Protein backbone atom coordinates (compact mmCIF):
# COMPACT_ATOMS: atom_id res chain seq x y z
CA UNK A 1 0.00 0.00 0.00
CA UNK A 2 1.34 3.43 -0.98
CA UNK A 3 1.82 6.29 1.48
CA UNK A 4 -1.03 8.18 -0.21
CA UNK A 5 -3.39 5.21 0.25
CA UNK A 6 -2.36 4.96 3.91
CA UNK A 7 -3.21 8.63 4.43
CA UNK A 8 -6.62 8.15 2.79
CA UNK A 9 -7.36 5.11 4.95
CA UNK A 10 -6.28 7.02 8.05
CA UNK A 11 -8.57 9.92 7.11
CA UNK A 12 -11.50 7.53 6.55
CA UNK A 13 -10.92 5.93 9.94
CA UNK A 14 -10.83 9.35 11.63
CA UNK A 15 -14.09 10.26 9.91
CA UNK A 16 -15.73 7.05 11.15
CA UNK A 17 -14.59 7.73 14.71
CA UNK A 18 -15.92 11.29 14.48
CA UNK A 19 -19.27 10.03 13.24
CA UNK A 20 -19.45 7.70 16.24
CA UNK A 21 -18.66 10.55 18.66
CA UNK A 22 -21.30 12.80 17.09
CA UNK A 23 -24.57 10.83 17.00
CA UNK A 24 -27.38 11.84 14.67
CA UNK A 25 -29.28 13.46 17.55
CA UNK A 26 -26.40 15.84 18.34
CA UNK A 27 -26.04 16.80 14.68
CA UNK A 28 -29.80 17.35 14.39
CA UNK A 29 -29.69 19.65 17.41
CA UNK A 30 -26.84 21.67 15.89
CA UNK A 31 -28.73 22.04 12.61
CA UNK A 32 -31.94 22.96 14.42
CA UNK A 33 -30.18 25.63 16.49
CA UNK A 34 -28.55 27.02 13.35
CA UNK A 35 -31.89 27.16 11.55
CA UNK A 36 -33.68 28.83 14.44
CA UNK A 37 -30.97 31.49 14.73
CA UNK A 38 -30.79 32.04 10.99
CA UNK A 39 -27.22 30.74 10.79
CA UNK A 40 -26.34 29.14 7.43
CA UNK A 41 -24.65 25.74 7.39
CA UNK A 42 -21.70 26.81 5.26
CA UNK A 43 -20.13 30.13 4.38
CA UNK A 44 -17.96 32.59 6.26
CA UNK A 45 -20.42 32.98 9.15
CA UNK A 46 -21.91 29.51 8.92
CA UNK A 47 -22.17 26.57 11.29
CA UNK A 48 -19.19 24.73 9.76
CA UNK A 49 -17.02 27.81 10.14
CA UNK A 50 -17.87 28.09 13.85
CA UNK A 51 -17.32 24.37 14.38
CA UNK A 52 -13.93 24.68 12.70
CA UNK A 53 -13.04 27.50 15.08
CA UNK A 54 -14.09 25.44 18.09
CA UNK A 55 -12.18 22.33 16.93
CA UNK A 56 -9.02 24.38 16.32
CA UNK A 57 -9.24 26.02 19.74
CA UNK A 58 -9.75 22.65 21.42
CA UNK A 59 -6.74 21.25 19.55
CA UNK A 60 -4.64 24.23 20.66
CA UNK A 61 -5.66 23.70 24.28
CA UNK A 62 -4.64 20.04 23.98
CA UNK A 63 -1.28 21.07 22.55
CA UNK A 64 -0.75 23.51 25.43
CA UNK A 65 -1.55 20.80 27.99
CA UNK A 66 0.94 18.49 26.32
CA UNK A 67 3.54 21.28 26.29
CA UNK A 68 3.14 22.15 29.98
CA UNK A 69 2.53 18.61 31.19
CA UNK A 70 -0.61 19.32 33.24
CA UNK A 71 -4.30 20.16 32.76
CA UNK A 72 -5.71 23.65 33.51
CA UNK A 73 -6.16 24.09 37.28
CA UNK A 74 -4.13 20.96 38.09
CA UNK A 75 -2.08 21.47 41.32
CA UNK A 76 0.75 19.57 39.59
CA UNK A 77 1.52 22.76 37.73
CA UNK A 78 2.54 24.68 40.83
CA UNK A 79 6.23 25.37 40.87
CA UNK A 80 6.68 23.86 37.43
CA UNK A 81 8.34 27.04 36.16
CA UNK A 82 5.81 27.69 33.43
CA UNK A 83 2.05 28.25 33.27
CA UNK A 84 -0.78 29.44 31.02
CA UNK A 85 -0.82 33.15 30.33
CA UNK A 86 -4.07 34.06 28.64
CA UNK A 87 -4.89 33.97 24.94
CA UNK A 88 -4.36 35.97 21.77
CA UNK A 89 -6.86 36.24 18.92
CA UNK A 90 -6.03 35.70 15.27
CA UNK A 91 -7.82 34.97 12.02
CA UNK A 92 -6.64 32.08 9.87
CA UNK A 93 -7.63 31.01 6.37
CA UNK A 94 -9.21 27.56 6.10
CA UNK A 95 -11.28 25.71 3.52
CA UNK A 96 -14.29 26.75 5.60
CA UNK A 97 -13.36 30.39 5.08
CA UNK A 98 -11.65 32.84 7.47
CA UNK A 99 -11.87 31.46 11.02
CA UNK A 100 -11.37 33.44 14.23
CA UNK A 101 -9.48 31.51 16.91
CA UNK A 102 -7.96 32.30 20.29
CA UNK A 103 -4.48 30.86 20.75
CA UNK A 104 -3.33 30.04 24.30
CA UNK A 105 -0.02 31.50 25.51
CA UNK A 106 2.42 30.37 28.16
CA UNK A 107 4.34 32.62 30.55
CA UNK A 108 7.76 31.61 29.21
CA UNK A 109 6.68 32.08 25.56
CA UNK A 110 8.03 28.63 24.65
CA UNK A 111 4.73 27.24 23.35
CA UNK A 112 4.97 26.55 19.59
CA UNK A 113 1.59 25.23 18.38
CA UNK A 114 1.53 22.84 15.42
CA UNK A 115 -2.11 23.01 14.35
CA UNK A 116 -1.94 26.81 14.00
CA UNK A 117 1.79 27.66 13.88
CA UNK A 118 3.08 30.99 15.08
CA UNK A 119 2.80 33.76 12.48
CA UNK A 120 0.83 31.44 10.20
CA UNK A 121 -2.34 32.75 8.61
CA UNK A 122 -3.25 29.56 6.77
CA UNK A 123 -4.40 26.23 8.17
CA UNK A 124 -5.01 22.79 6.73
CA UNK A 125 -5.24 22.24 3.00
CA UNK A 126 -5.05 25.86 1.80
CA UNK A 127 -1.42 25.59 0.74
CA UNK A 128 -2.13 22.23 -0.90
CA UNK A 129 -5.03 23.82 -2.79
CA UNK A 130 -2.78 26.63 -4.00
CA UNK A 131 -0.11 24.17 -5.17
CA UNK A 132 -2.75 22.03 -6.89
CA UNK A 133 -4.27 25.00 -8.72
CA UNK A 134 -0.81 26.26 -9.71
CA UNK A 135 0.15 22.80 -11.02
CA UNK A 136 -2.93 22.86 -13.25
CA UNK A 137 -1.80 26.02 -14.97
CA UNK A 138 -3.72 28.75 -13.14
CA UNK A 139 -1.82 32.00 -12.81
CA UNK A 140 -1.22 33.60 -9.42
CA UNK A 141 -3.95 36.18 -10.11
CA UNK A 142 -6.42 33.47 -11.13
CA UNK A 143 -5.66 31.57 -7.90
CA UNK A 144 -6.12 34.79 -5.92
CA UNK A 145 -9.56 35.31 -7.49
CA UNK A 146 -10.52 31.65 -6.94
CA UNK A 147 -9.64 31.69 -3.23
CA UNK A 148 -11.58 34.92 -2.73
CA UNK A 149 -14.64 33.64 -4.58
CA UNK A 150 -14.80 30.15 -3.07
CA UNK A 151 -13.25 30.57 0.39
CA UNK A 152 -13.46 34.34 0.95
CA UNK A 153 -9.69 34.32 1.57
CA UNK A 154 -7.68 37.44 0.78
CA UNK A 155 -4.30 36.67 -0.74
CA UNK A 156 -2.01 38.30 -3.29
CA UNK A 157 -0.01 37.11 -6.31
CA UNK A 158 3.18 37.70 -4.34
CA UNK A 159 1.95 35.55 -1.43
CA UNK A 160 0.84 32.76 -3.77
CA UNK A 161 4.22 32.85 -5.52
CA UNK A 162 5.92 32.63 -2.13
CA UNK A 163 3.81 29.60 -1.16
CA UNK A 164 4.68 27.81 -4.40
CA UNK A 165 8.36 28.51 -3.72
CA UNK A 166 8.25 25.80 -1.04
CA UNK A 167 8.94 23.30 -3.84
CA UNK A 168 12.27 24.92 -4.79
CA UNK A 169 14.28 22.72 -2.42
CA UNK A 170 12.22 19.73 -3.52
CA UNK A 171 13.14 20.45 -7.14
CA UNK A 172 16.84 20.57 -6.26
CA UNK A 173 16.62 17.22 -4.47
CA UNK A 174 14.60 15.74 -7.35
CA UNK A 175 17.06 16.93 -10.00
CA UNK A 176 20.00 15.48 -8.06
CA UNK A 177 18.51 12.25 -6.72
CA UNK A 178 20.28 8.94 -7.45
CA UNK A 179 19.07 6.98 -10.47
CA UNK A 180 19.42 3.33 -11.50
CA UNK A 181 22.73 2.07 -12.85
CA UNK A 182 21.17 0.90 -16.12
CA UNK A 183 18.05 1.83 -18.07
CA UNK A 184 17.23 -0.41 -21.04
CA UNK A 185 15.46 2.48 -22.79
CA UNK A 186 15.71 6.24 -22.30
CA UNK A 187 13.43 8.68 -24.13
CA UNK A 188 14.30 12.34 -24.76
CA UNK A 189 11.91 15.00 -26.07
CA UNK A 190 11.19 18.70 -25.54
CA UNK A 191 8.45 21.30 -25.28
CA UNK A 192 8.86 24.94 -26.25
CA UNK A 193 8.30 27.67 -23.65
CA UNK A 194 8.77 31.44 -23.59
CA UNK A 195 11.04 32.82 -20.88
CA UNK A 196 12.18 36.39 -20.18
CA UNK A 197 15.95 36.48 -20.43
CA UNK A 198 18.09 39.63 -20.24
CA UNK A 199 15.15 41.93 -20.76
CA UNK A 200 13.56 40.15 -23.73
CA UNK A 201 11.30 37.14 -24.13
CA UNK A 202 13.19 34.16 -25.57
CA UNK A 203 11.90 30.88 -26.94
CA UNK A 204 13.52 28.02 -25.00
CA UNK A 205 13.22 24.25 -24.88
CA UNK A 206 12.39 22.27 -21.76
CA UNK A 207 13.96 18.86 -22.39
CA UNK A 208 12.37 15.90 -20.65
CA UNK A 209 14.33 12.68 -20.04
CA UNK A 210 12.35 9.55 -19.14
CA UNK A 211 13.93 6.20 -18.32
CA UNK A 212 12.36 2.74 -18.50
CA UNK A 213 13.94 0.55 -15.84
CA UNK A 214 14.53 -3.22 -15.96
CA UNK A 215 11.02 -3.78 -14.54
CA UNK A 216 9.46 -1.74 -17.33
CA UNK A 217 8.52 1.15 -15.03
CA UNK A 218 8.87 4.67 -16.40
CA UNK A 219 10.45 7.48 -14.39
CA UNK A 220 11.14 11.11 -15.29
CA UNK A 221 14.86 11.45 -14.64
CA UNK A 222 14.94 15.23 -14.99
CA UNK A 223 14.10 18.41 -16.89
CA UNK A 224 16.69 20.69 -18.48
CA UNK A 225 15.81 24.14 -19.87
CA UNK A 226 18.01 25.69 -22.56
CA UNK A 227 17.77 28.27 -25.33
CA UNK A 228 20.15 26.32 -27.55
CA UNK A 229 21.08 22.69 -27.80
CA UNK A 230 24.22 21.02 -29.06
CA UNK A 231 26.80 18.40 -28.22
CA UNK A 232 28.15 20.45 -25.31
CA UNK A 233 24.70 20.90 -23.77
CA UNK A 234 23.83 17.21 -24.13
CA UNK A 235 27.20 16.12 -22.77
CA UNK A 236 26.43 18.24 -19.68
CA UNK A 237 22.98 16.63 -19.27
CA UNK A 238 24.22 13.06 -19.73
CA UNK A 239 27.23 13.63 -17.49
CA UNK A 240 24.88 14.82 -14.74
CA UNK A 241 22.93 11.58 -15.09
CA UNK A 242 26.18 9.60 -14.98
CA UNK A 243 27.22 11.43 -11.82
CA UNK A 244 23.87 10.47 -10.31
CA UNK A 245 24.64 6.78 -10.81
CA UNK A 246 23.65 5.98 -14.40
CA UNK A 247 26.29 3.71 -15.95
CA UNK A 248 24.64 2.30 -19.08
CA UNK A 249 21.80 2.97 -21.51
CA UNK A 250 20.94 0.31 -24.08
CA UNK A 251 18.68 2.34 -26.40
CA UNK A 252 18.32 6.13 -26.45
CA UNK A 253 15.15 7.14 -28.32
CA UNK A 254 14.94 10.77 -29.44
CA UNK A 255 13.87 13.12 -32.23
CA UNK A 256 17.05 14.14 -34.05
CA UNK A 257 18.08 16.60 -31.34
CA UNK A 258 21.20 18.47 -32.42
CA UNK A 259 24.36 17.00 -30.95
CA UNK A 260 22.59 14.39 -28.82
CA UNK A 261 23.73 11.23 -30.69
CA UNK A 262 27.42 12.22 -30.54
CA UNK A 263 27.20 13.30 -26.90
CA UNK A 264 25.39 10.08 -25.95
CA UNK A 265 28.08 7.93 -27.55
CA UNK A 266 30.83 9.90 -25.83
CA UNK A 267 29.30 9.44 -22.36
CA UNK A 268 27.85 5.92 -22.88
CA UNK A 269 30.09 4.33 -25.48
CA UNK A 270 27.85 1.28 -26.06
CA UNK A 271 24.53 3.12 -26.41
CA UNK A 272 22.33 2.63 -29.48
CA UNK A 273 20.75 5.91 -30.59
CA UNK A 274 17.31 5.36 -32.13
CA UNK A 275 15.38 8.17 -33.82
CA UNK A 276 11.67 8.39 -33.13
CA UNK A 277 9.94 6.92 -36.19
CA UNK A 278 6.75 8.89 -35.63
CA UNK A 279 8.74 12.13 -35.66
CA UNK A 280 10.31 11.16 -39.00
CA UNK A 281 6.83 10.50 -40.40
CA UNK A 282 5.50 13.81 -39.08
CA UNK A 283 8.47 15.76 -40.39
CA UNK A 284 7.97 14.13 -43.78
CA UNK A 285 4.28 15.03 -43.85
CA UNK A 286 5.14 18.72 -43.49
CA UNK A 287 6.26 18.65 -47.11
CA UNK A 288 3.25 16.73 -48.45
CA UNK A 289 0.09 18.33 -49.85
CA UNK A 290 -3.18 17.23 -48.30
CA UNK A 291 -4.36 15.28 -51.37
CA UNK A 292 -1.24 13.10 -51.46
CA UNK A 293 -0.92 12.35 -47.77
CA UNK A 294 -2.74 9.03 -47.81
CA UNK A 295 -0.65 7.44 -50.56
CA UNK A 296 2.58 8.91 -49.12
CA UNK A 297 1.75 7.45 -45.70
CA UNK A 298 1.15 4.05 -47.33
CA UNK A 299 4.50 4.25 -49.15
CA UNK A 300 6.38 5.18 -45.95
CA UNK A 301 4.82 2.27 -44.12
CA UNK A 302 6.78 -0.11 -46.35
CA UNK A 303 9.99 1.51 -45.05
CA UNK A 304 9.47 1.29 -41.30
CA UNK A 305 7.72 -2.11 -41.38
CA UNK A 306 10.45 -3.68 -43.52
CA UNK A 307 11.85 -6.94 -42.11
CA UNK A 308 15.42 -5.67 -42.38
CA UNK A 309 17.76 -2.92 -43.58
CA UNK A 310 18.06 -4.23 -47.15
CA UNK A 311 14.29 -4.32 -47.62
CA UNK A 312 13.96 -0.85 -46.08
CA UNK A 313 16.56 0.56 -48.50
CA UNK A 314 14.59 -0.85 -51.43
CA UNK A 315 11.38 0.68 -50.05
CA UNK A 316 13.14 4.05 -49.63
CA UNK A 317 14.37 3.95 -53.25
CA UNK A 318 10.82 3.26 -54.45
CA UNK A 319 9.58 6.08 -52.26
CA UNK A 320 12.14 8.43 -53.80
CA UNK A 321 11.28 7.32 -57.35
CA UNK A 322 7.56 7.93 -56.78
CA UNK A 323 7.72 11.19 -54.80
CA UNK A 324 11.29 12.52 -54.96
CA UNK A 325 10.73 14.91 -57.84
CA UNK A 326 7.56 16.36 -56.36
CA UNK A 327 8.60 16.33 -52.68
CA UNK A 328 12.41 16.40 -52.41
CA UNK A 329 12.17 17.78 -48.85
CA UNK A 330 10.35 14.62 -47.73
CA UNK A 331 13.11 12.41 -49.13
CA UNK A 332 15.72 14.54 -47.38
CA UNK A 333 14.02 13.96 -44.04
CA UNK A 334 14.44 10.20 -44.36
CA UNK A 335 18.03 10.43 -45.58
CA UNK A 336 19.05 12.70 -42.71
CA UNK A 337 17.46 10.37 -40.15
CA UNK A 338 18.60 7.11 -41.76
CA UNK A 339 21.65 6.29 -39.60
CA UNK A 340 19.64 6.65 -36.38
CA UNK A 341 16.56 4.97 -37.91
CA UNK A 342 18.02 1.66 -39.11
CA UNK A 343 18.77 0.13 -35.64
CA UNK A 344 14.98 -0.10 -35.34
CA UNK A 345 14.90 -2.62 -38.19
CA UNK A 346 16.92 -5.19 -36.22
CA UNK A 347 14.35 -5.34 -33.43
CA UNK A 348 11.52 -7.88 -33.18
CA UNK A 349 7.93 -6.65 -33.27
CA UNK A 350 7.65 -6.68 -29.45
CA UNK A 351 10.53 -4.24 -29.06
CA UNK A 352 9.65 -2.18 -32.14
CA UNK A 353 6.32 -1.27 -30.56
CA UNK A 354 8.12 0.13 -27.52
CA UNK A 355 10.87 2.16 -29.24
CA UNK A 356 8.71 3.09 -32.26
CA UNK A 357 7.96 6.50 -30.86
CA UNK A 358 8.56 8.90 -27.99
CA UNK A 359 4.78 9.04 -27.51
CA UNK A 360 5.42 8.06 -23.89
CA UNK A 361 7.04 11.45 -23.36
CA UNK A 362 4.68 13.19 -25.75
CA UNK A 363 1.69 12.16 -23.64
CA UNK A 364 3.38 13.84 -20.67
CA UNK A 365 4.44 16.83 -22.77
CA UNK A 366 0.87 17.23 -24.00
CA UNK A 367 -0.31 17.69 -20.43
CA UNK A 368 2.60 20.03 -19.66
CA UNK A 369 1.76 22.14 -22.72
CA UNK A 370 -1.78 22.54 -21.39
CA UNK A 371 -0.51 24.14 -18.19
CA UNK A 372 2.21 26.26 -19.85
CA UNK A 373 0.25 27.63 -22.79
CA UNK A 374 -1.90 29.77 -20.46
CA UNK A 375 1.23 31.76 -19.54
CA UNK A 376 2.35 34.38 -22.00
CA UNK A 377 5.87 33.85 -20.75
CA UNK A 378 7.78 33.01 -17.58
CA UNK A 379 9.82 35.65 -15.72
CA UNK A 380 12.84 33.31 -15.54
CA UNK A 381 13.96 29.69 -15.87
CA UNK A 382 13.26 28.98 -12.20
CA UNK A 383 9.59 29.96 -12.57
CA UNK A 384 9.26 27.71 -15.60
CA UNK A 385 10.96 24.83 -13.80
CA UNK A 386 8.67 25.26 -10.78
CA UNK A 387 5.52 24.89 -12.89
CA UNK A 388 6.92 22.00 -14.94
CA UNK A 389 7.98 20.14 -11.79
CA UNK A 390 4.57 20.58 -10.16
CA UNK A 391 2.97 19.41 -13.38
CA UNK A 392 5.19 16.31 -13.47
CA UNK A 393 4.44 15.59 -9.83
CA UNK A 394 0.72 15.90 -10.50
CA UNK A 395 0.94 13.59 -13.53
CA UNK A 396 3.01 11.04 -11.58
CA UNK A 397 0.38 10.85 -8.84
CA UNK A 398 -2.33 10.20 -11.41
CA UNK A 399 -0.20 7.51 -13.07
CA UNK A 400 0.46 5.58 -9.90
CA UNK A 401 3.24 7.30 -8.01
CA UNK A 402 6.83 8.36 -8.51
CA UNK A 403 7.76 5.14 -10.31
CA UNK A 404 5.21 5.80 -13.03
CA UNK A 405 3.35 3.14 -14.99
CA UNK A 406 4.47 -0.10 -16.52
CA UNK A 407 5.23 -0.77 -20.19
CA UNK A 408 2.86 -2.95 -22.21
CA UNK A 409 4.52 -6.12 -23.52
CA UNK A 410 7.66 -5.45 -21.49
CA UNK A 411 8.52 -9.06 -20.59
CA UNK A 412 8.82 -10.14 -24.22
CA UNK A 413 10.89 -7.06 -25.04
CA UNK A 414 13.11 -7.64 -22.00
CA UNK A 415 13.91 -11.18 -23.13
CA UNK A 416 15.10 -9.84 -26.47
CA UNK A 417 17.16 -7.12 -24.80
CA UNK A 418 18.96 -9.68 -22.62
CA UNK A 419 19.96 -11.64 -25.74
CA UNK A 420 20.76 -8.58 -27.90
CA UNK A 421 22.79 -6.83 -25.18
CA UNK A 422 24.49 -9.68 -23.28
CA UNK A 423 25.92 -8.93 -19.87
CA UNK A 424 24.57 -5.37 -19.71
CA UNK A 425 21.30 -6.04 -17.86
CA UNK A 426 21.96 -7.16 -14.29
Amino acid sequence: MSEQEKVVDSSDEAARRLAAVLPDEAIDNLLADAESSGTPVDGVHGLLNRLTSRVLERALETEMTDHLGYEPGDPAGRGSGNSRNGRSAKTVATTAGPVNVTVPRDRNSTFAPQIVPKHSRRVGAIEDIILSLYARGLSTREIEAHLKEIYDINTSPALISKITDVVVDEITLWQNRPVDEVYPIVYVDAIRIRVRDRGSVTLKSAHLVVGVDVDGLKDVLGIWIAAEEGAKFWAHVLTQLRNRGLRDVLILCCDGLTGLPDAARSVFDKVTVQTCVVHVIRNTMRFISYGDRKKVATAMRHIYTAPGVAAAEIALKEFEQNFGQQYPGAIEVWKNAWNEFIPFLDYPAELRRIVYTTNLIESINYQLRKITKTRGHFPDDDAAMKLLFLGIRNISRKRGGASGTGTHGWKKALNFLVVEFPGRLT
Side-chain angles (χ1 to χ4, degrees):
M1 181 182 294
S2 67
E3 291 299 323
Q4 189 174 7
E5 291 173 331
K6 290 179 182 178
V7 170
V8 172
D9 287 347
S10 177
S11 299
D12 290 343
E13 179 61 29
R16 285 191 289 269
R17 290 200 302 268
L18 181 61
V21 172
L22 291 175
D24 292 343
E25 183 180 355
I27 296 174
D28 289 342
N29 290 336
L30 287 172
L31 292 173
D33 291 341
E35 183 177 3
S36 63
S37 62
T39 302
V41 174
D42 58 358
V44 179
H45 303 293
L47 175 62
L48 292 177
N49 184 286
R50 296 181 182 181
L51 285 174
T52 300
S53 174
R54 186 69 189 93
V55 169
L56 289 175
E57 289 178 346
R58 180 61 186 142
L60 288 167
E61 287 292 346
T62 302
E63 283 192 67
M64 176 61 82
T65 297
D66 182 68
H67 174 68
L68 295 177
Y70 61 90
E71 296 285 347
D74 190 335
R78 295 174 184 173
S80 63
N82 198 7
S83 61
R84 290 171 171 79
N85 189 33
R87 295 177 175 81
S88 59
K90 66 187 300 184
T91 301
V92 294
T94 73
T95 53
V99 172
N100 298 317
V101 294
T102 57
V103 181
R105 297 177 304 197
D106 64 328
R107 192 165 297 279
N108 293 343
S109 299
T110 55
F111 177 50
Q114 300 299 310
I115 189 69
V116 184
K118 286 184 177 180
H119 314 299
S120 175
R121 294 292 176 178
R122 298 174 301 277
V123 173
I126 293 298
E127 293 189 359
D128 290 337
I129 290 173
I130 290 174
L131 287 172
S132 177
L133 294 173
Y134 193 86
R136 283 166 173 76
L138 272 70
S139 67
T140 54
R141 295 190 182 278
E142 289 171 332
I143 296 173
E144 176 190 20
H146 175 83
L147 293 177
K148 179 63 178 176
E149 179 180 354
I150 303 300
Y151 304 110
D152 195 32
I153 295 173
N154 293 313
T155 56
S156 68
L159 175 61
I160 293 169
S161 181
K162 184 177 180 180
I163 291 173
T164 58
D165 281 343
V166 300
V167 301
V168 171
D169 290 341
E170 190 177 345
I171 292 173
T172 301
L173 292 173
W174 180 73
Q175 283 283 75
N176 292 279
R177 75 194 189 280
V179 297
D180 290 353
E181 288 191 10
V182 59
Y183 285 94
I185 303 174
V186 169
Y187 300 92
V188 182
D189 204 359
I191 63 171
R192 304 290 272 175
I193 56 176
R194 297 184 181 275
V195 181
R196 181 170 293 279
D197 189 4
R198 299 176 184 175
S200 62
V201 177
T202 303
L203 196 61
K204 294 188 176 184
S205 295
H207 299 280
L208 202 68
V209 179
V210 175
V212 181
D213 66 17
V214 292
D215 295 318
L217 296 177
K218 312 176 188 80
D219 188 19
V220 178
L221 305 182
I223 303 172
W224 286 265
I225 298 175
E228 298 179 356
E229 62 190 48
K232 184 177 180 180
F233 167 75
W234 287 115
H236 169 72
V237 170
L238 297 175
T239 300
Q240 277 194 356
L241 289 172
R242 188 173 182 84
N243 291 339
R244 288 164 56 189
L246 181 58
R247 291 292 175 265
D248 195 12
V249 175
L250 305 190
I251 300 172
L252 181 71
C253 189
C254 60
D255 173 29
L257 296 167
T258 305
L260 178 55
D262 292 337
R265 295 185 187 102
S266 68
V267 178
F268 305 106
D269 56 347
K270 296 180 180 180
V271 68
T272 298
V273 179
Q274 172 65 57
T275 192
C276 170
V277 180
V278 167
H279 275 89
V280 177
I281 296 171
R282 288 177 182 170
N283 292 337
T284 302
M285 285 300 186
R286 292 176 181 174
F287 296 93
I288 310 302
S289 61
Y290 182 79
D292 291 335
R293 288 192 170 188
K294 188 173 183 179
K295 58 183 180 181
V296 168
T298 301
M300 284 192 294
R301 183 174 178 82
H302 293 300
I303 302 174
Y304 61 83
T305 60
V309 176
E313 289 175 343
I314 293 173
L316 180 60
K317 288 180 181 178
E318 291 179 355
F319 182 63
E320 185 174 6
Q321 290 172 359
N322 293 331
F323 302 102
Q325 187 173 358
Q326 187 178 5
Y327 302 116
I331 306 303
E332 197 67 19
V333 169
W334 275 98
K335 289 183 177 180
N336 290 337
W338 193 254
N339 289 336
E340 274 74 46
F341 161 71
I342 55 177
F344 174 82
L345 301 172
D346 291 332
Y347 305 149
E350 293 82 4
L351 186 56
R352 283 191 184 191
R353 281 194 289 268
I354 295 175
V355 301
Y356 173 72
T357 175
T358 55
N359 276 349
L360 160 69
I361 288 189
E362 289 183 25
S363 64
I364 299 175
N365 283 351
Y366 171 74
Q367 297 180 68
L368 294 181
R369 287 188 186 99
K370 288 197 299 184
I371 65 175
T372 57
K373 70 180 182 180
T374 57
R375 311 294 177 88
H377 67 274
F378 294 94
D380 50 43
D381 288 358
D382 291 339
M385 179 64 77
K386 183 168 64 175
L387 179 59
L388 291 170
F389 170 75
L390 287 170
I392 287 291
R393 192 173 69 171
N394 194 41
I395 294 169
S396 297
R397 287 174 176 172
K398 290 180 181 178
R399 290 170 172 259
S403 296
T405 56
T407 302
H408 181 68
W410 177 250
K411 294 301 182 183
K412 290 183 178 180
L414 182 62
N415 278 277
F416 170 80
L417 290 169
V418 170
V419 174
E420 183 69 14
F421 304 96
R424 294 172 63 185
L425 286 176
T426 58

